[in-house]
Amino acid sequence: MDSFLSGVKNVTSAVSDAAVASANKVGDVASSGLHAAKDGVSKVGDAASSGLNAAKDGVSKVGDAASTGLHAAKDGVSKVGDGVGDAGSSFTGGLTSSFTTLTVLHAGTKAKILASSPWILSKVGRIINAMRSSSHKFTDDEIDLVVKSLYVSQSDADLKSAFDMFDAKFNGTTKGYLKGSDFRTVLPLVGEDVPDDKIDALFKEVDKDQSGNLEFDEYRTLMLSMNPIQESGMVMGGLTSLTSGVLGSITTLTVLKANTKAKLMGASPLALGKIGRIIKSMQNSKFQFTDDEVDDVVKALYVTQSDDDFQVVFDLFDKKLSGSPQHSGALSAQSFRHLLPLVGEDVPAEKIDELFTEMDTDGSGNIEFAEFKAMMLAMNPKA
């Protein structure tokens, strides 16, 4: 994994000293896409210094590419999705301009943001730019309120203040809800870049009471799901596009066993997006996986990460992908190509052989269990 570590070092040297500690956590985003971590994250330094659209090709493919990681956002980063496919939309437009746009924030808010990850800096930059250019004429105090509520405190009080502010802006006076028709306008103002054809589906997911409006509880749930806080207290902010991976996960999770599904209810949107891709890929595969086998894979990658469960999954792929009823104890280069999408990764065809060579640490020409396990853990590191 020397190239992976090198990619992370490139990120930390390209951003400010204030973001060094958080930049080292790019591996978390990369879990959503080993391709992004390997090919995209190494280019983030270029994106930060030259403003090139490296995240669309890398970080967003980190899974839903990732994330994300491997898939990024696009099924991921599913490419960090079915992005990320999807999960970050663009590392540019935010990070490269954020250091100047942050001047509109209050000193306390700015200090907290400068200590956060480059990913959050990028998203905050988009929020500030979107609110500044909006026809609704947001003040600097209102911009600070939104950023603070999403990336500093995430307290009910601050989230409610931001909600009430949007409520009054769009409705002319506080009515206690945001109209469905205003949902499209709100998304970019909170840093989200959701494809137009996905917005209605997302609104239906969030509008739990089917009122046709977004009340505070629904708004709060959406904001927290898009910007989950890690155990360290840092806001991950790794999801800039709630696309097919996350949207599909709510229904696709029904194939999982109750215990596995229960364990995943607290997972981040990034992880849910990648799990959705895994389930869809295995269900549509010519290798005809059963629901129990799908559950085994998801459980091994996102619930236990135990040697026993990884071995069960390795043996499953060993037999299925080779077409043999017996375990061979290894995955061939050809099986490796089939394997990647089945574990939620979207790696460009021209990069697969290079990745295989890197994972085949003993040079045997096959992927044995120890190498498979190392790859799965690298793609899906625990928070």
Side-chain angles (χ1 to χ4, degrees), residues 121-168:
L121 282 171
S122 174
K123 199 169 179 185
V124 169
R126 288 194 299 274
I127 291 173
I128 294 173
N129 288 333
M131 294 187 72
R132 274 179 147 182
S133 61
S134 172
S135 61
H136 294 283
K137 300 180 180 179
F138 295 96
T139 67
D140 288 353
D141 284 345
E142 290 169 336
I143 294 174
D144 182 86
L145 172 61
V146 171
V147 172
K148 183 175 71 170
S149 71
L150 296 180
Y151 297 105
V152 177
S153 70
Q154 288 200 342
S155 68
D156 284 356
D158 285 337
L159 287 168
K160 184 64 162 63
S161 294
F163 175 82
D164 290 344
M165 184 270 293
F166 284 132
D167 181 0

Side-chain angles (χ1 to χ4, degrees), residues 46 51 77 87 127 138 165 177 203 217 245 279-280 288 344 350 381:
D46 294 333
V77 117
I127 291 173
F138 295 96
M165 184 270 293
Y177 60 82
F203 181 80
D217 285 346
I279 294 173
K280 289 179 182 178
Q288 300 181 334
E350 67 274 14

Side-chain angles (χ1 to χ4, degrees), residues 86-125:
D86 287 334
S89 71
S90 175
F91 200 73
T92 62
L95 181 58
T96 55
S97 62
S98 64
F99 292 102
T100 55
T101 56
L102 288 182
T103 57
V104 307
L105 302 178
H106 296 174
T109 304
K110 183 162 58 178
K112 292 285 188 179
I113 297 302
L114 285 173
S116 62
S117 70
W119 192 285
I120 289 178
L121 282 171
S122 174
K123 199 169 179 185
V124 169

Side-chain angles (χ1 to χ4, degrees), residues 9-296:
K9 290 178 181 177
N10 288 337
V11 178
T12 60
S13 63
V15 300
S16 70
D17 290 339
V20 170
S22 297
N24 286 330
K25 296 181 181 177
V26 167
D28 291 333
V29 177
S31 67
S32 53
L34 187 59
H35 165 55
K38 183 177 182 311
D39 183 49
V41 172
S42 65
K43 296 180 180 178
V44 171
D46 294 333
S49 62
S50 65
L52 295 176
N53 190 3
K56 190 71 176 182
D57 183 47
V59 173
S60 69
K61 290 186 177 182
V62 165
D64 218 81
S67 229
T68 316
L70 255 185
H71 176 285
K74 188 122 176 129
D75 266 314
V77 117
S78 235
K79 280 178 182 153
V80 155
D82 255 318
V84 76
D86 287 334
S89 71
S90 175
F91 200 73
T92 62
L95 181 58
T96 55
S97 62
S98 64
F99 292 102
T100 55
T101 56
L102 288 182
T103 57
V104 307
L105 302 178
H106 296 174
T109 304
K110 183 162 58 178
K112 292 285 188 179
I113 297 302
L114 285 173
S116 62
S117 70
W119 192 285
I120 289 178
L121 282 171
S122 174
K123 199 169 179 185
V124 169
R126 288 194 299 274
I127 291 173
I128 294 173
N129 288 333
M131 294 187 72
R132 274 179 147 182
S133 61
S134 172
S135 61
H136 294 283
K137 300 180 180 179
F138 295 96
T139 67
D140 288 353
D141 284 345
E142 290 169 336
I143 294 174
D144 182 86
L145 172 61
V146 171
V147 172
K148 183 175 71 170
S149 71
L150 296 180
Y151 297 105
V152 177
S153 70
Q154 288 200 342
S155 68
D156 284 356
D158 285 337
L159 287 168
K160 184 64 162 63
S161 294
F163 175 82
D164 290 344
M165 184 270 293
F166 284 132
D167 181 0
K169 285 282 186 179
F170 296 131
N171 292 320
T173 184
T174 303
K175 294 186 176 180
Y177 60 82
L178 298 174
K179 297 189 295 292
S181 57
D182 290 325
F183 187 65
R184 291 174 180 272
T185 306
V186 171
L187 290 174
L189 297 176
V190 293
E192 303 305 329
D193 182 11
V194 180
D196 190 69
D197 60 349
K198 299 294 183 181
I199 293 178
D200 289 342
L202 176 58
F203 181 80
K204 289 179 181 178
E205 289 283 350
V206 179
D207 182 22
K208 297 301 183 182
D209 62 2
Q210 300 182 339
S211 67
N213 298 309
L214 202 64
E215 289 78 25
F216 172 65
D217 285 346
E218 296 164 336
Y219 169 86
R220 176 180 178 276
T221 297
L222 177 64
M223 295 302 103
L224 293 179
S225 70
M226 291 192 291
N227 305 287
I229 292 183
Q230 295 174 315
E231 291 183 2
S232 63
M234 293 297 294
V235 180
M236 291 171 63
L239 193 63
T240 59
S241 181
L242 288 177
T243 53
S244 54
V246 176
L247 291 174
S249 66
I250 305 301
T251 54
T252 55
L253 287 182
T254 57
V255 308
L256 301 177
K257 295 177 181 178
N259 188 52
T260 302
K261 188 159 52 176
K263 294 284 188 181
L264 296 174
M265 286 302 122
S268 71
L270 191 62
L272 287 174
K274 199 170 178 184
I275 290 166
R277 289 193 305 278
I278 290 173
I279 294 173
K280 289 179 182 178
S281 181
M282 293 187 72
Q283 286 181 322
N284 297 329
S285 172
K286 66 180 181 179
F287 295 104
Q288 300 181 334
F289 293 95
T290 66
D291 287 353
D292 284 347
E293 290 169 337
V294 173
D295 184 87
D296 285 340

